[in-house]
């Protein structure tokens, strides 16, 4: 396949300003202040730990950022093959005038200092956004986030609901709920009422999505008020819920969220397939894995019950991608969303991207999101995706189907940007 | 990889007249009469619905065919990326002198009229078969099909048995059974007897296969006559069968079919993995999906029990393909069969085709079937497959293993045609 | 992608002497003595049987080797498309001056005679190792192997433990255990004691790994001494163990093996996913298949409990590869190991190899092992892998990431050889 063709298409896609539909950016501290913000990201700490660096060296309390980087750098040579490492080098080259091919024990310190100086510039955040071509970035907000003190046009709020669905059994979650909503949980109605207030608060502040990550065995279903009341009564009385009541409560809250998404016209992002804490002694955010034995058939009742809610679905495993393609092909309310986590490496993106482009209506595909914690990651991650997207457009459309390059680029535009606007009502 | 080489191999494969080993053609009305027969096919209605066209607009009772096409055309722009759409354009260009790249609100009406005129030609069916290079087409016949009034050499009967295995619990199925066989179901022996009569009728009329589609959790097993008699007695007495008896009955009928396939020397096509009606409000034939958690290990007892029966196996999910390859590699009576439904898009065919060519004896691979409802679909679907097959032959055999082009083309011939002849005893 | 670049990288990789970290070589008879040793290997017998050759023809008692080959050869034409057949031709061309493209009924006899003459040369074993670039070859030794009479530097012992974990319920296994260890199994402590003696014997004789193959549903867990004693008491008293006690015993022995691997600092090779004897009437070693519904989540407790043990993991199914990548990415003690059995064909190796190179620290990848029963197989199997590895290095690293060829070749060296040395402490 012509490398020149791919490069022309990549260049075309690079002209498109981006809206990033999922990140973990803290809008009060969006960009990095030192290289430790970047290299301390779990991608590098978990890989360095995987390659043998003890967790205690990485997560020592009160560790100086420079010292942290000094400890990580020697391990980089053992993971310089990874896609994640390539993002690091691309960030350093793009943002910090880094000229070398690799970050090594010999060059890291000057890189660290250069980065610190750049990051200290008052408009660093703006520089990063501009250089990355990012216009808007979706957040992941706790349900009790006040959503104050930042530009909600630039940083679009998103109601993250894992705590509500899976941790309402914890007293501190219920306290946070009460504080945020003014509603004390006493029965099913109070939960519905409080969640309604959260949706009011979020939509009033420009939220454009509700979101949740889900374990492989979760299977949402409608729960009767009687069952929900039973579980909540037991909970409020201080009982430890048995597994079946805990599952009922999770399903009740989840179903209520879907109802509120319908009422408030918010898409409901489902990120399906993660088991939390599988590697108990892993580094921060480096403990989660999965069981590939999951199926979207678990969401059959949900997709049927809420035709008016759009569900942008992310799957953790490449082996789940075909189901995502098929369900999006059939269900009007299911759309494909990005390339998540363990599937966010080129070989999987290539296949998953091609299959979506070949079988899902083009208006129903959200191409990519960064999932980033710090703003600098957007650039290399979207760049990786654009190269893969350009390659798919070149191979399957320009060469394979005789499309003009401009028609292929338009398809790319839709997937990269246009659908984010239309599906989330932003832009 | 050399595009010229692929084109030469594709051209070579195009010279091979085809026998299509699985379709849903109605032999009394094989070709289309208007473009609505083509665009009303579930591939387009389900995609248009997926992209937002209300089901009620598509399935309005007594809808005029031209009006139906008029309603679908505006939605095509949202799915012009799909492989399915590319077949539509290829059909229009090949059969109706369509010169444009896309079917649009501006050009569809003249296309519709041209198509209607062509389709009205008395020899349209023959024209389509000739242009498509199709010599014979396998059908999907209800068990009570009289198999009369058509040329069973051209349209090869195939006994489809879903109703017998999964719907014998319905009174109307048992009535149809009695009408077709003269046998009233009263016990296990009567079922066996009646099924024997169906096999006689079908084989006498040139049937070349028995076929069935199966849900992901089906696991065939031999059922004792006692258990079968118990279930049938309950059924005949008017009881609603409990799940375990219903499963026993399904397994009993299925096993009986396998026994009859042995007796009548018919291959038994297994199409594994579909859940019916998952999207309850979907358009006609656009409601079925699947649970990828299925395994051919479910068929262990069957494959061991019937060494004398050939099982051409189709799997719905790409993630099941490796099992199919491995089971065909080991079991003499398991052969790979086509690229079914949700796996029938280029990216999946590419991988599935390559893996079969690399690991399954070449005489045990049925390359492709159209699964078409109307005759015009054969052309673009087989064309897609031939391009992919040619690419696999070029990459893995001519370039990868130094084969001559003619040797590679012979392998292609076997997979495309030769094995259909030998496995189904046709041609 | 430039074929010249791939060829240059392949040539570079060919200069690396190999250590084969898993085989089934009999060190007392490592090389073949006739072509029947090669063509009688299960890859060919099972494929010939799959293509229709009756098992009785292949496995007739006291069959003369030449007659066996004579019976197999005519079937080769039906499987000349397979990767396995390509190895055969490559062996014949490399070792026996075979000039033809195919082994046929016309040329096999002279090939047989040439091969027999070559194999009769006194240094044939050395010739094969030299031509194959193999310096050391890991074995698969029964737990009661005396490990005597061969060069344990060249043929590295490996303690294979399937019998201990899954067949201790058989009296003859317990007898072999007693003979090998001097320990009569009477309770949990005696099992631990005896296993300790096996590890002493093996490590004293240069063993570098403990290994086991595991069925898809196996899920190791720690078993209390009480439960283990209960199961063993029942066993010793002559009872047939019920399924739960049998499972407890398997888990107890397995967990003990992991403890001994920790104590004796041996890596524990896990080969996950095989169901034995699925095709009951298959040829020798051609009866095993699998259920793809397995997950590394089953090994969660194990990986967490033994951080000090390295687990080189092989998975049978391509659909399990992403889990292997992800678990190796997160768990420091999990490393990727080769391309096993049904996944050992180019199309699966390509994807699995690329995904590992893109996401697992490069020091944690064991690229390939031969799994061979006779020494001649090493050459074509490693050659196949090197071509695929070179292609991945060319595409994803030299072209995709701008690496120099020498840097790419270094990565290849690590995966092919360097990691075998460091992970197994050999070389
Ligand atoms: Zn996230
Ligand atoms: Zn069909
Ligand atoms: Zn082995």
């Amino acid at each position: 396949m012509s490398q020149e063709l791919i490069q022309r298409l990549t260049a075309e896609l690079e002209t498109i300003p981006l809206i990033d539909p999922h990140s973990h950016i803290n809008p009060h501290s969006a960009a990095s202040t030192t290289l430790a913000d970047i290299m301390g990201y779990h991608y590098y700490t978990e890989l360095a730990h995987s390659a043998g660096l003890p967790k205690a060296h990485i997560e020592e309390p009160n560790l100086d950022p420079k010292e942290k980087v000094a400890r990580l750098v020697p391990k980089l040579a053992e993971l310089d093959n990874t896609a994640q490492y390539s993002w690091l080098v691309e960030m350093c080259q793009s943002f910090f005038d880094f000229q070398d091919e690799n970050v090594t024990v010999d060059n890291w310190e000057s890189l660290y200092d250069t980065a610190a100086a750049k990051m200290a510039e008052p408009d660093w955040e703006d520089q990063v956004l501009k250089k990355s071509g990012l216009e808007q970035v979706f957040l992941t907000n706790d349900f009790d986030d006040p959503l104050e003190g930042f530009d909600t046009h630039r940083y679009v709020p998103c109601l993250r609901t894992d705590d509500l669905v899976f941790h309402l059994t914890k007293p501190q979650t219920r306290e946070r709920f009460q504080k945020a909503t003014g509603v004390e949980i006493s029965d099913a109605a109070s939960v519905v009422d409080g969640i309604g207030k959260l949706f009011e608060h979020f939509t009033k502040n420009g939220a454009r999505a509700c979101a949740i990550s889900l374990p492989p065995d979760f299977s949402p279903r409608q729960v009767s008020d009687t069952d929900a009341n039973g579980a909540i009564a037991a909970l409020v009385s201080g009982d430890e819920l048995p597994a079946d009541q805990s599952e009922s409560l999770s399903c009740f809250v989840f179903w209520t969220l879907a109802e509120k998404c319908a009422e408030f016209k918010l898409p409901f992002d489902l990120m399906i397939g993660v088991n939390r804490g599988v590697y108990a002694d892993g580094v921060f955010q480096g403990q989660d894995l999965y069981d590939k034995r999951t199926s979207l058939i678990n969401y059959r009742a949900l997709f049927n019950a809420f035709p008016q809610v759009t569900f942008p679905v992310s799957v953790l495993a490449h082996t789940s991608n075909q189901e995502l393609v098929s369900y999006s092909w059939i269900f009007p309310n299911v759309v494909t969303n990005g390339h998540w986590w363990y599937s966010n490496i080129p070989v999987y993106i290539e296949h998953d991207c091609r299959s979506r482009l070949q079988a899902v209506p083009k208006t129903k595909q959200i191409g990519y999101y960064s999932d980033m914690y710090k703003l600098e990651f957007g650039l290399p991650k979207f760049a990786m995706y654009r190269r893969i997207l350009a390659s798919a457009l070149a191979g399957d459309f320009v060469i394979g189907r005789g499309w003009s390059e401009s028609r292929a680029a338009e398809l790319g535009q839709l997937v990269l940007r246009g659908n984010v606007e239309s599906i989330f009502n932003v832009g």
Side-chain angles (χ1 to χ4, degrees), chain A:
Chain A
M1 189 156 48
S2 158
Q3 291 296 318
E4 291 74 29
L5 170 60
I6 296 173
Q7 278 160 15
R8 283 196 305 273
L9 283 166
T10 302
E12 199 62 45
L13 297 176
E14 282 168 350
T15 65
I16 302 165
L18 301 167
I19 302 173
D20 181 355
H22 174 65
S23 85
H24 297 263
I25 289 295
N26 173 355
H28 307 290
S29 170
S32 301
T33 55
T34 74
L35 207 56
D37 287 339
I38 290 174
M39 284 187 50
Y41 180 58
H42 74 88
Y43 270 127
Y44 305 112
T45 56
E46 74 199 12
L47 282 170
H49 178 56
S50 174
L53 192 63
K55 177 182 174 176
H57 290 219
I58 301 167
E59 301 193 345
E60 191 181 312
N62 306 314
L63 189 58
D64 174 75
K66 194 162 185 175
E67 174 60 18
K68 185 172 198 166
V69 172
R71 291 180 181 185
L72 286 164
V73 163
K75 270 290 167 195
L76 291 180
E78 296 183 33
L79 45 96
D80 67 3
N81 57 299
T82 62
Q84 299 92 312
Y85 176 84
S86 76
W87 305 334
L88 174 66
V89 172
E90 190 164 350
M91 278 185 275
C92 293
Q93 291 172 340
S94 300
F95 290 122
F96 315 126
D97 304 325
F98 186 65
Q99 305 289 327
D100 294 350
E101 270 190 5
N102 290 291
V103 179
T104 69
V105 289
D106 295 326
N107 65 20
W108 77 269
E109 200 163 356
S110 75
L111 170 66
Y112 186 95
D113 296 337
T114 309
K118 289 263 190 188
M119 290 164 174
E121 291 172 17
D123 65 340
W124 178 244
E125 181 178 337
D126 292 329
Q127 288 185 47
V128 173
L129 288 169
K130 192 176 171 200
K131 192 157 222 158
S132 309
L134 278 166
E135 289 188 344
Q136 294 181 275
V137 175
F138 279 48
L139 306 177
T140 292
N141 303 92
D142 286 337
F143 70 83
D144 55 348
D145 189 318
L147 305 176
E148 286 166 359
F150 64 90
D151 173 357
T152 59
H153 178 77
R154 176 181 277 192
Y155 296 117
V156 182
C158 167
L159 172 58
R160 182 70 172 237
T161 56
D162 301 46
D163 287 347
L164 295 170
V165 172
F166 297 109
H167 301 300
L168 211 57
T169 45
K170 298 182 186 166
Q172 58 270 42
T173 309
R174 298 200 297 279
E175 281 161 34
R176 289 170 52 206
F177 187 85
Q178 183 170 356
K179 223 182 238 172
T181 63
V183 175
E184 186 177 353
I185 291 178
S186 57
D187 58 8
S190 65
V191 169
V192 175
D193 181 33
I195 290 177
K197 293 202 190 315
L198 296 177
F199 272 74
E200 275 170 34
H201 170 63
F202 268 79
T203 51
K204 205 179 297 170
N205 284 284
R208 287 291 180 269
C210 179
I212 189 167
S213 75
L214 300 151
D217 60 354
F218 188 69
S219 191
R221 60 187 178 84
Q222 188 162 21
V223 174
S224 70
D225 277 2
T226 310
D227 286 354
N229 280 326
I232 294 166
L235 189 68
V236 172
S237 76
D239 292 356
E240 174 115 359
L241 290 194
D244 64 332
Q245 278 200 321
S246 173
E247 189 268 350
S248 287
L249 181 60
S250 288
C251 281
F252 177 75
V253 175
F254 184 89
W255 208 263
T256 303
L257 291 169
E259 288 170 343
K260 292 300 171 189
C261 283
E263 184 182 338
F264 287 86
K265 298 186 196 315
L266 279 193
F268 196 175
D269 290 349
L270 308 181
M271 314 185 84
I272 296 171
V274 62
N275 287 125
R276 301 292 178 184
V278 171
Y279 174 33
D281 291 329
V283 299
F284 180 63
Q285 294 179 332
Q287 306 177 352
D288 306 335
L289 281 157
Y290 57 94
D291 181 337
K292 69 181 168 60
R293 293 169 299 184
T294 184
S295 172
L296 291 181
I297 199 85
N298 288 353
Y299 293 83
R300 172 184 188 154
L302 180 77
F303 297 152
N304 277 291
F306 295 97
Q308 72 279 50
V309 175
T310 299
F311 296 98
V313 175
S314 298
V315 290
L316 192 50
H318 171 59
T319 45
S320 291
N321 180 69
Q322 189 187 12
E323 280 194 348
L324 178 53
V325 167
S326 303
Y327 280 68
S328 300
W329 161 348
I330 292 297
F331 278 102
N333 53 341
V334 177
V335 305
T336 64
N337 193 14
H339 300 274
W340 192 31
W341 204 336
Y342 293 111
S343 294
N344 186 32
I345 60 170
V347 66
Y348 294 129
I349 301 174
E350 283 170 26
H351 290 89
D352 296 349
C353 173
R354 288 185 62 203
S355 60
R356 297 175 191 181
L357 291 175
Q358 290 176 8
V360 177
K362 68 185 181 188
T363 49
K364 297 182 66 192
Q365 305 182 40
I366 300 162
Y368 198 72
Y369 51 75
S370 73
D371 219 356
M372 63 186 168
Y373 285 72
K374 284 293 174 184
L375 225 44
E376 289 83 357
F377 281 91
L379 186 145
K381 292 179 105 176
F382 272 102
M384 173 184 70
Y385 177 68
R386 271 189 302 244
R387 286 188 293 267
I388 295 168
L389 177 59
S391 179
L393 294 171
D396 287 342
F397 293 88
V398 178
I399 295 173
R401 285 171 54 183
W403 282 26
S404 68
E405 289 181 37
S406 64
R407 187 176 172 194
E410 277 169 39
L411 175 54
Q413 195 281 342
L414 204 59
V415 161
L416 249 185
R417 160 97 191 202
N419 292 337
V420 178
E421 295 186 44
S422 55
I423 290 169
F424 294 107
N425 190 25
V426 286

